Amino acid sequence: MSAPLWSGRFAAAPDEEVFAYGKSLGVDRRLFDDDVAGSRAWAEALARAGVLSAADASAIDAGLVAVLDAVHANPTLIANADDEDVHSFVERELVARIGDAGRRLHTGRSRNEQVSVDFRLYLKRRIPEIQRALVSLVDAFVHQAETAGDAVMPSYTHLRRAQPVLVAHFFLSHAAAIRRDVDRLDMARGEADVLPLGSGAIAGTAYDIDTAFLAHRLGFSRVVANSIDASGDRDFVATFLYASAAAMVHLSRLAEDVIILSTEEFGFFEIHDSVATGSSLMPQKKNPDPLELVRGKSGKAIGMLAGWLASMKGLPFGYNKDLQEDKALAFEAEDLVIACARTTATAVRTLTLRPETTRQAASGLLLATEVADYLVGRGLPFRTAHEVSGRIARDLYGSGRDFSSLSLADWQRYHQLFDDGVFRAITPEAAIAARRTPQSTNPRAVAAALADVRAWVKGRS
Ligand code: ARG
């Protein structure tokens, strides 16, 4: 066991099992690059404050680069190390290379702020990677919306047929949700974008550290306002976990839509063989396992957010070791969202539409709103028109027919305002064309929305 950084105070060595229990290197070694980056900047700030000689500062910098290169060349160096955490690992490796100069690096600094700066740097560089995975999913929606062209399908409320929409409109609805997730991750990144260094262990540092320089040097846009708050603040982790959980909820809802709309019962889409699995017993089966896993894993993402909020809620002010638990959660959330977004993008990109089935499903009694609007267009109050249309729908439903089975005389038996324009008005295509607002399923609106999403993907790629 490597001696901990704080062994001077203790007469007895730590209990091996208990020390191993508290170690975080296995998890926080993901922060290695960031820890080195933060330490290089800190050494520079110490030199500028006149705390380190120029010679020591450049020895530290060269030593840190040597540690960085050594680990990149041989990752087992850190994977097999038994230090308490990534900060201890870097410092030990540095001192092993440059001796006493390395022992000056931690002047005026605490691991409490070090872990915070590392983690903030990490999220700032990794969030764009998560966003890339989500953008490629949005690109898959664009592909499907383009391929669908003017194909129509029913939309649903209460999982009952509601109104006809363009299939492209359906895909773009999911694109809209995922775009919000990308925006939310921007917000999470913005919250992480604050420099905590200069906070010391809790009270601030006693050296003349130029925090504005440090922020600029490390690419932070601002500096924390309060050292006590900074040492115990992991709100940025909670925000990241929320952004991840929200994205997973959207991936899960999409997965559910694809799963249900590709069943034998719906038959709107066919899932590609390459993203399906078979049954060991039932030869006919083609199961959407990868999408079911996306749906299942979303529960975990929600649990991690709820768990982290619970971990934070009882903490007294300043740093507490409970905070160490944040990294395992955030790393898992990161891996989860990236893997699920990529899998979902492949599943969406390879979906096949069955346009005859969706058109057929969009042609029945879900045109009842059009019937009501038709009468409104001829002067009837909407509430009355709703009742007339409802009566027709009830009769048709009872006899297993739909609006296309009615003759003009049949229509006029329900209301004399029906004329022969009714045959053109009561079709899925007419219903879709009749929608007017920019967010509607009107073909021109959908074309504009598609162009907007396409441009957004391009801007993000
Ligand atoms: N591994 C610790 C964490 O993740 C680093 C900070 C340690 N600070 C301390 N006072 N023990 O939170």
Side-chain angles (χ1 to χ4, degrees):
M1 179 197 313
S2 315
L5 295 173
W6 33 261
S7 50
R9 157 74 177 78
F10 293 83
D15 177 278
E16 267 196 51
E17 196 179 341
V18 173
F19 184 74
Y21 167 80
K23 261 167 60 168
S24 58
L25 183 61
V27 171
D28 62 24
R29 62 191 163 92
R30 277 213 209 189
L31 302 177
F32 170 70
D33 285 16
D34 309 285
D35 198 72
V36 171
S39 290
R40 292 181 69 187
W42 183 250
E44 217 176 311
L46 284 177
R48 287 168 63 102
V51 179
L52 283 183
S53 69
D56 280 350
S58 68
I60 289 172
D61 197 62
L64 287 169
V65 171
V67 176
L68 189 69
D69 292 345
V71 168
H72 285 177
N74 176 20
T76 59
L77 189 61
I78 191 165
N80 297 337
D82 67 353
D83 300 274
E84 188 182 9
D85 55 28
V86 65
H87 326 293
S88 313
F89 169 82
V90 171
E91 192 171 317
R92 184 182 53 70
E93 287 288 330
L94 177 69
V95 172
R97 281 171 175 74
I98 66 166
D100 261 0
R103 299 174 66 85
R104 295 186 198 279
L105 171 63
H106 210 58
T107 312
R109 177 176 81 164
S110 154
R111 281 183 298 162
N112 298 352
E113 53 184 340
Q114 207 180 340
V115 70
S116 172
V117 78
D118 291 4
F119 203 7
R120 289 168 183 273
L121 286 170
Y122 178 86
L123 288 176
K124 283 183 66 185
R125 70 183 168 85
R126 292 300 300 170
I127 283 175
E129 191 59 28
I130 304 172
Q131 290 173 312
R132 261 190 286 285
L134 292 170
V135 170
S136 81
L137 172 58
V138 174
D139 191 47
F141 294 135
V142 167
H143 168 72
Q144 284 295 346
E146 284 167 347
T147 311
D150 55 8
V152 302
M153 66 182 279
S155 61
Y156 294 80
T157 64
H158 312 267
L159 201 54
R160 302 292 189 272
R161 286 182 188 170
Q163 292 181 309
V165 292
L166 290 178
V167 172
H169 198 49
F170 164 76
F171 282 115
L172 293 179
S173 75
H174 284 291
I178 300 295
R179 275 177 68 167
R180 284 199 299 279
D181 296 323
V182 172
D183 290 346
R184 211 172 276 118
L185 283 163
D186 274 339
M187 287 189 257
R189 192 172 181 281
E191 191 171 339
D193 186 20
V194 194
L195 176 85
L197 292 180
S199 300
I202 185 162
T205 189
Y207 299 90
D208 203 7
I209 294 296
D210 182 349
T211 53
F213 159 78
L214 261 181
H216 178 74
R217 168 77 172 67
L218 286 168
F220 287 102
S221 66
R222 55 208 197 280
V223 181
V224 296
N226 180 292
S227 65
I228 300 175
D229 175 53
S231 68
D233 168 30
R234 294 295 183 276
D235 291 357
F236 66 96
V237 180
T239 300
F240 172 71
L241 291 172
Y242 170 57
S244 302
M248 286 301 300
V249 166
H250 291 141
L251 293 178
S252 176
R253 291 188 66 178
L254 166 66
E256 170 58 13
D257 276 358
V258 174
I259 290 166
I260 195 166
L261 296 179
S262 62
T263 52
E264 289 90 340
E265 282 70 18
F266 278 84
F268 290 4
F269 300 108
E270 172 84 23
I271 292 178
H272 197 261
D273 282 5
S274 60
V275 290
T277 54
S279 158
S280 58
L281 176 68
M282 300 165 284
Q284 86 285 6
K285 293 275 276 176
K286 180 172 158 186
N287 296 328
D289 290 30
L291 291 170
E292 291 170 88
L293 279 173
V294 168
R295 193 177 56 192
K297 287 175 192 288
S298 64
K300 206 197 263 183
I302 295 166
M304 292 194 288
L305 169 62
W308 183 240
L309 291 171
S311 292
M312 288 202 303
K313 77 176 259 298
L315 297 184
F317 70 148
Y319 177 84
N320 297 273
K321 188 79 162 187
D322 315 47
L323 296 177
Q324 178 165 286
E325 293 301 306
D326 60 354
K327 284 166 292 295
L329 298 174
F331 295 157
E332 187 162 1
E334 173 197 348
D335 295 347
L336 199 62
V337 179
I338 291 178
C340 291
R342 288 194 183 147
T343 293
T344 308
T346 304
V348 169
R349 196 173 286 283
T350 54
L351 269 183
T352 308
L353 173 69
R354 294 229 183 91
E356 311 77 36
T357 309
T358 55
R359 170 124 198 346
Q360 179 60 32
S363 312
L365 295 177
L366 77 178
L367 295 169
T369 312
E370 292 330 287
V371 173
D373 280 343
Y374 190 82
L375 292 173
V376 169
R378 276 148 190 76
L380 210 62
F382 177 73
R383 193 48 61 210
T384 315
H386 186 286
E387 280 159 16
V388 174
S389 177
R391 209 171 315 124
I392 305 175
R394 181 176 7 122
D395 291 348
L396 289 172
Y397 182 74
S399 56
R401 295 176 301 145
D402 64 33
F403 295 110
S404 66
S405 68
L406 297 176
S407 67
L408 185 57
D410 294 333
W411 280 110
Q412 287 176 337
R413 249 195 306 283
Y414 287 101
H415 207 284
Q416 72 283 4
L417 279 175
F418 285 116
D419 53 34
D420 61 4
V422 77
F423 300 107
R424 260 177 295 110
I426 309 306
T427 68
E429 288 75 16
I432 287 168
R435 311 268 85 76
R436 303 256 179 125
T437 46
Q439 69 268 48
S440 75
T441 192
N442 177 284
R444 268 191 319 260
V446 171
L450 178 55
D452 177 65
V453 178
R454 210 186 276 124
W456 179 86
V457 169
K458 210 162 163 237
R460 281 274 179 181
S461 305

